[in-house]
Amino acid sequence: MNGNGILGITLRGMEALPVEVEVEITGGLFAISIVGMPDVAVRESKERVRAALRSLGLTLKGRISVNLAPADIPKEGALLDLPIALGMMVAAGALKNFPRALCMGELALDGRLRSVRGAVPAAFLARKLGLPLFVPRENSGEVALVQGVEAYCADTLGELVLALTGQEPADPVPPAFIPELPEEIETDFADIKGQTIAKRAAEIAAAGHHNLLLVGSPGSGKTLIAKALRGILPPLTDEELVETLLIRSTLGMKIESGRTRPFRTVHFSASTVSVCGGGNSLRPGEVSLAHRGVLFLDEYTEFRRDLTESLRAPIEDGFITVSRANGSVIYPSRVLLVLAANPCACGFAGDPVVKCTCSAYELERYKRKLSGPIMDRIDLQISVPRLTPEELLSFSGSSEPSAIIRERVIKARKIQQERWKEYGLVCNAELPEKLVQKCLKLNDESKNYLSLMAGRLKLSGRGLSRILKVSRTIADLAGEEDINKNHIAEALMYRQAFDKG
């Protein structure tokens, strides 16, 4: 007898695909075989399912064949434990009149339902198909965030069977909404002494979602400024929240309760796969986990060249295509890239306290690590000088707190969202080249000034475009309608981390 109507899911990137579970039981020696391109976790499900059914008093006999259709799509993980168990119950005659529904969950040996990854993509699939979704209770929190889906949860397989047979009412998952709650800020700009230019650059980066490079000696405050940047970013919108939920759910990560934007720090020892995504199951990497938030690469010059070059396309395009022999998937990667680096190999070039020991050749060789296509994609390149002990002690009181800066950033973002909504964009950094030429027009004075400075700084076409985008953000922060010469001059000032364009 076939378990028709029992649907599970498998994941392909961030997309949930329906899997129909068909079960046939025939005579002969006891054996369970699973076909349909299952991975190791799916093949091992037969032992978990067998023990879970025995906990309900159902002992399986005969030869059992489980087919996971369509057969040409790889099936992975423990998501199919629950639909396989229900399919076996239907085939054994222990469960009748099974409603057509989408089910997912991992089974413990005693019949408990454990959480699985991919609950948010599954909820979107259930809504698309117009089917109810049954999930473990631990997954109910993330499913509740998807509006318009009919979902139910249970703690055990027995509890779910009673609900499916109508003996007990099913436990519905009520819709939920993540409010915009004030988040506790770990690093506040008010606690950072001095560094006025670097703080201003961080504000501009947050307002327009511009990439940022901080260059300075050890102890100058580069990492502190990068971490404080998260506290001035605007909250995630509903659409952005769904995008981040999909990525985190795909990896089975905990769903955060607020609307704070992601902040991912990558160590220079990280592999290209861990940053860009991939592996046998084509999972998203750090650049996708930081989508709509910050990707922070500290000690940038220590990263391998192949890894930094692989970031060029996702930084520019806002998405990354992960391709392997078994297929390819596309993940979003609209990140605010923040890089931190020392000014030279010893770390003290231009330092007011410690003398640099690098030769001219070593200095030039070190700078070449930061030049090229990646640097052309960095809108703001800032030198962060280390303060002397006298300067640190001379600062009295506190500087502007993050809360006040955040209000300005949110106001500027709203201006941008209103301006670019007809193009489907949310911030100035996302503007394609054709819109830069069409919408960011300058008066004659500003155009002549930019042309003169572009020649002096040897800016490329992409560099010019990014100067215009940063100028537009500076004007938005000032609440001004047009870009003027002062805005362009300030934007050009943020291209001098190494005194070169």
Side-chain angles (χ1 to χ4, degrees), residues 462-482:
R462 181 184 286 112
L464 271 173
S465 177
R466 292 183 177 276
I467 288 295
L468 286 172
K469 294 176 187 179
V470 173
S471 301
R472 179 66 267 173
T473 300
I474 293 171
D476 290 336
L477 282 168
E480 298 183 16
E481 185 70 26
D482 300 320

Side-chain angles (χ1 to χ4, degrees), residues 97-233:
N97 300 322
F98 185 86
R100 189 167 178 80
L102 203 62
C103 306
M104 64 182 300
E106 178 184 342
L107 285 172
L109 298 182
D110 58 359
R112 287 179 292 111
L113 290 175
R114 292 194 173 109
S115 64
V116 289
R117 63 189 183 92
V120 173
F124 279 102
L125 177 62
R127 187 176 69 181
K128 177 182 177 181
L129 299 176
L131 297 176
L133 174 65
F134 292 90
V135 298
R137 192 173 300 278
E138 292 179 24
N139 288 118
S140 61
E142 50 191 305
V143 172
L145 298 173
V146 180
Q147 303 300 312
V149 63
E150 180 188 354
Y152 303 91
C153 62
D155 290 305
T156 65
L157 176 60
E159 181 183 327
L160 181 60
V161 169
L162 291 176
L164 291 172
T165 55
Q167 299 179 51
E168 289 187 5
D171 191 0
V173 176
F177 176 77
I178 295 182
E180 182 184 337
L181 299 174
E183 297 288 335
E184 184 177 347
I185 299 175
E186 295 182 6
T187 305
D188 197 296
F189 274 109
D191 301 325
I192 303 175
K193 296 184 178 181
Q195 307 299 3
T196 304
I197 294 177
K199 291 178 184 178
R200 171 65 174 171
E203 179 181 345
I204 296 170
H209 208 73
H210 300 290
N211 299 326
L212 174 66
L213 167 67
L214 301 169
V215 179
S217 304
S220 60
K222 304 184 299 293
T223 303
L224 206 60
I225 292 170
K227 290 182 178 179
L229 179 62
R230 188 186 192 188
I232 63 173
L233 289 171

Side-chain angles (χ1 to χ4, degrees), residues 14-60:
M14 294 195 308
E15 182 184 9
L17 303 176
V19 175
E20 185 166 359
V21 179
E22 300 173 330
V23 181
E24 181 183 55
I25 300 179
T26 58
L29 296 175
F30 175 77
I32 300 177
S33 63
I34 301 177
V35 297
M37 294 186 71
D39 70 352
V40 175
V42 177
R43 289 196 296 270
E44 289 178 346
S45 67
K46 57 188 178 183
E47 299 301 331
R48 296 190 295 269
V49 169
R50 182 184 180 188
L53 292 178
R54 191 185 299 117
S55 70
L56 297 181
L58 177 61
T59 302
L60 299 173

Side-chain angles (χ1 to χ4, degrees), residues 31 55 97 188 223 234 292 294 379 387 401 418 424 431 446 469 496:
S55 70
N97 300 322
D188 197 296
T223 303
R292 298 298 182 185
V294 176
D379 304 352
L387 302 178
E418 185 65 27
L431 284 180
S446 300
K469 294 176 187 179
Q496 308 298 310

